[in-house]
Amino acid sequence: MAHPVRWRAEVFGCTAEGAYHRLVLQVPEAASRARPGHFASLAGDHAVVREAVPIARADASAGTLELLVADGPRSGPLDLIAPLGTPFPVPDAPVRALLVGHGQHAAPLPALGEQLTARGGQLGYLLGAPTAAALHAVDEARALTQDVLVVTEDGSAGLTGLVSEPVAQAARAIDASVVYAAGPPDVLALTAAAVADLGIRCWALLATDLPCGTGFCAACVVPVVGADGVSRFARVCTEGPVFDATRVRWADIGAVPADLEGA
Amino acid sequence: MDPQDVDLTAPFGPLTLPNPLTTAAGCAGPVRELAKFVPLDALGSVTTRTIMPRARAGHPTPRAAATPAGLLTALGLPGPGIDAFVERELPWLAERGARVVVSIAGERIEEFAALAARLGGLPGVVGLELNIGGPSHADLGLVFAANPAISYDLVRAVRRAAPADLPVYAKLAPDVLSITDIAAACVRAGADGLSMINTVPGLDIDPDTLRPSLAAGPGGLSGPAVRPVALRCVHLVHAAMLAGRLPTVPILGMGGVTDGRDALAFAAAGASGIAVGSALLHDPTAPLRILDELRTELASRGLAAFTDAVGLAHRRD
Ligand SMILES: Cc1cc2nc3c(=O)[nH]c(=O)nc-3n(C[C@H](O)[C@H](O)[C@H](O)COP(=O)(O)O)c2cc1C
Ligand code: FES
């Protein structure tokens, strides 16, 4: 985990994007450390827990972080901690990557896609959401590649269905060697299952409630198989939010499987 | 008075700590992540999550629910077990100069005693806090803290097993018939101090599903909602000490401390040390900030030393 910074951050910009708002914050120390997949956490003044928010972009030269929040416009100063968590691994060699994003959680994918492209990679893109309004970063995806497929659960944009449904087909179509996916656990579980059949790598960014975001509260755990083959609870905010999808015990999220260490 | 001139030294039974602030057990996770926000040696001490004889996965998720002024949690005492703690976690904390109070619990009295014997003399360990009861224990059918006789036997067994120079503190649950009776039993059994309070049993119902919000069902409430409950416990037990109904030992006060005024209130009620718990989840720098605010609060009242504030609520003048 990059060393996080706690900051009272002024909001320099707040623009509506579909169902979301993009906040631009001036946080030079955090901006220079944030990588795609890191997240930020915000806190209200008298709240007891914090709110995890995806970082859409970090511009080290401008010293800015762009966050995508689900509700309302926000004004500053905001109690911010960033960057938090473990980001997406970005290989030095060129890769053919399929990026899969669900709603708000697609926010880090454009910056990731740019880094992969800069290293000579080729991209395919799958974006889904319950409704057209809840889609995010479709234009940014189209700016990166022609291979963009949009899926909505109510059919209000693109194909009708869940974003995980066309994953195998899309990965084959671009001959992907790796999938980067971001979304809630149920969507990722289906995505991971589809990718597992293809025998390629899948990095999954789990979007779940993170009461503290700092690794303190132990409320955010999911069962994960370690390098030693032993399953343990891992904290999404610290060991994640990005996991090797083959290590996450998707069917056991929310349970304590009998073979988990300490069960 | 200049806040920088305030003497924050905190005598705490056999220990003399540089200041009265510590973390409440379990609220800084494995403590390692806290070091990203707070230099561990800047706090009077740090308290670990409860360490048990074996690794425990704990309860399924959801494990936490925010309520209007508090946090309801049911973690199920997750932890690495004593071996992994001693090998992998404690040395790292000790290297950073942390004064570590290890919270321990077992399913039987002998397990508490074995843990105490194992931890005695290890670098970094300045004290033990016995987690003798809380909502997690109730799930396990363990109710040491609800019964003065059992609390007495437990503390006595640990006191005998631990090296004589290692302070042993008993952490009390608030939902007991008479917290003064439990406190008295623990002190008579040799406890060097008392931590209070553990979380308050509670339940939250999800308004959509009409089922308990937490996977475990009930949980423990912490945060500002429990502060008056905690202050009453500290005040009651300190008053009983002043009245000679039990020997005087230091009290570590906790329950909803979010700022320097809260810390001062606990001191006034009778606490010689202050633990910051769920406030850490909202503000990972909370203990240092609260220490700074406490300094200012003391100075603005002309109190030259933290110890001058301890028990002020009991004075008649
Ligand atoms: C996330 C969380 C984890 C906790 N873990 C422990 C623990 O391992 N052992 C223990 O004795 N108390 C534990 N507690 C209780 C706290 O140490 C403290 O007694 C209680 O939360 C009241 O303080 P607060 O209101 O400042 O949080 C935990 C509380 C929370 C919120
Ligand atoms: S959100 Fe608290 S430990 Fe992960």
Side-chain angles (χ1 to χ4, degrees):
Chain A
M1 191 203 284
H3 204 97
V5 181
R6 180 161 182 270
W7 204 269
R8 283 197 81 75
E10 290 294 340
V11 178
F12 279 80
C14 177
T15 47
E17 284 185 20
Y20 313 107
H21 280 85
R22 182 182 295 259
L23 306 180
V24 182
L25 309 174
Q26 188 79 37
V27 201
E29 283 177 69
S32 62
R33 285 182 215 148
R35 303 284 171 268
H38 274 138
F39 68 95
S41 116
L42 298 176
D45 272 349
H46 295 288
V48 288
V49 294
R50 302 184 67 90
E51 173 198 8
V53 181
I55 299 176
R57 220 164 256 288
D59 184 335
S61 53
T64 54
L65 275 189
E66 298 180 22
L67 310 183
L68 197 74
V69 297
D71 47 349
R74 312 253 181 126
S75 51
L78 295 177
D79 174 340
L80 171 93
I81 303 177
L84 289 165
T86 305
F88 284 116
V90 178
D92 289 328
V95 288
R96 301 178 78 83
L98 178 68
L99 311 189
V100 182
H102 186 269
Q104 178 191 11
H105 310 298
L109 297 181
L112 172 69
E114 284 166 22
Q115 293 194 3
L116 294 171
T117 309
R119 288 164 167 77
Q122 301 275 321
L123 302 181
Y125 228 119
L126 254 177
L127 288 170
T131 63
L135 284 166
H136 174 65
V138 179
D139 293 342
E140 286 176 278
R142 294 213 166 106
L144 280 167
T145 170
Q146 293 185 316
D147 292 314
V148 180
L149 203 58
V150 170
V151 191
T152 55
E153 282 148 47
D154 68 350
S156 53
L159 302 175
T160 305
L162 211 58
V163 71
S164 53
E165 285 162 23
V167 162
Q169 212 186 337
R172 275 199 214 96
I174 63 156
D175 190 23
S177 57
V178 57
V179 173
Y180 292 91
D186 52 342
V187 172
L188 290 185
L190 295 167
T191 303
V195 179
D197 290 340
L198 302 174
I200 59 174
R201 267 229 184 260
C202 179
W203 299 107
L205 185 155
L206 241 80
T208 57
D209 279 347
L210 302 175
C212 72
T214 47
F216 292 3
C217 75
C220 64
V221 294
V222 292
V224 168
V225 186
D228 56 0
V230 178
S231 293
R232 298 182 184 86
F233 271 140
R235 292 163 299 173
V236 169
C237 67
T238 311
E239 283 90 359
V242 175
F243 291 98
D244 176 344
T246 58
R247 297 229 181 258
V248 178
R249 301 199 32 185
W250 298 102
D252 294 319
I253 289 180
V256 183
D259 60 337
L260 199 75
E261 187 177 86
Chain B
M1 181 186 293
D2 185 339
Q4 294 313 314
D5 293 338
V6 174
D7 180 5
L8 289 173
T9 308
F12 200 80
L15 298 178
T16 301
L17 298 168
N19 65 64
L21 265 288
T22 185
T23 56
C27 296
V31 187
R32 189 183 275 248
E33 285 84 9
L34 178 65
K36 298 191 174 120
F37 300 96
V38 172
L40 299 183
D41 58 358
L43 302 180
S45 63
V46 296
T47 310
T48 67
R49 63 199 184 303
T50 295
I51 302 298
M52 297 188 66
R54 286 162 297 278
R56 277 179 63 87
H59 288 316
T61 52
R63 289 175 160 187
T67 66
L71 182 69
L72 193 72
T73 50
L75 305 178
L77 294 172
I82 185 71
D83 292 337
F85 172 75
V86 167
E87 283 155 31
R88 295 204 286 269
E89 296 187 11
L90 182 60
W92 194 91
L93 300 176
E95 275 168 32
R96 268 135 203 97
R99 289 165 286 273
V100 184
V101 174
V102 185
S103 167
I104 58 171
E107 293 183 22
R108 288 171 294 112
I109 287 179
E110 302 77 60
E111 289 187 348
F112 277 90
L115 291 168
R118 175 84 190 272
L119 287 161
L122 294 184
V125 178
V126 300
L128 302 179
E129 182 177 82
L130 313 183
N131 183 356
I132 67 172
S136 299
H137 289 61
D139 300 345
L140 298 171
L142 308 177
V143 282
F144 304 111
N147 181 312
I150 299 176
S151 299
Y152 179 91
D153 289 346
L154 198 167
V155 174
R156 196 162 173 77
V158 171
R159 192 53 288 174
R160 283 193 174 144
D165 59 353
L166 183 65
V168 171
Y169 307 114
K171 182 165 179 184
L172 308 187
D175 52 318
V176 293
L177 211 51
S178 162
I179 195 153
T180 318
D181 287 353
I182 309 284
C186 292
V187 176
R188 296 215 171 89
D192 299 284
L194 301 167
S195 303
M196 58 181 99
I197 57 173
N198 213 314
T199 55
V200 177
L203 178 80
D204 188 54
I205 298 283
D206 182 316
D208 295 324
T209 64
L210 296 183
R211 296 289 183 280
S213 304
L214 305 183
L221 187 65
S222 60
V226 309
R227 195 187 305 134
V229 178
L231 283 169
R232 171 184 174 271
C233 290
V234 172
H235 190 272
L236 257 179
V237 172
H238 189 78
M241 289 173 183
L242 292 175
R245 283 190 281 130
L246 70 153
T248 296
V249 296
I251 297 172
L252 179 68
M254 73 192 85
V257 173
T258 61
D259 60 24
R261 293 168 77 97
D262 298 338
L264 186 56
F266 271 92
S272 302
I274 314 289
V276 180
S278 38
L280 276 162
L281 310 185
H282 184 261
D283 174 6
T285 67
L288 269 194
R289 170 179 55 77
I290 292 169
L291 189 61
D292 225 43
E293 292 166 354
L294 175 63
R295 205 191 277 283
T296 306
E297 294 292 336
L298 290 165
S300 72
R301 289 166 174 78
L303 295 167
F306 169 72
T307 48
D308 295 342
V310 177
L312 272 184
H314 300 264
R315 300 229 183 113
R316 298 207 172 267
D317 50 319

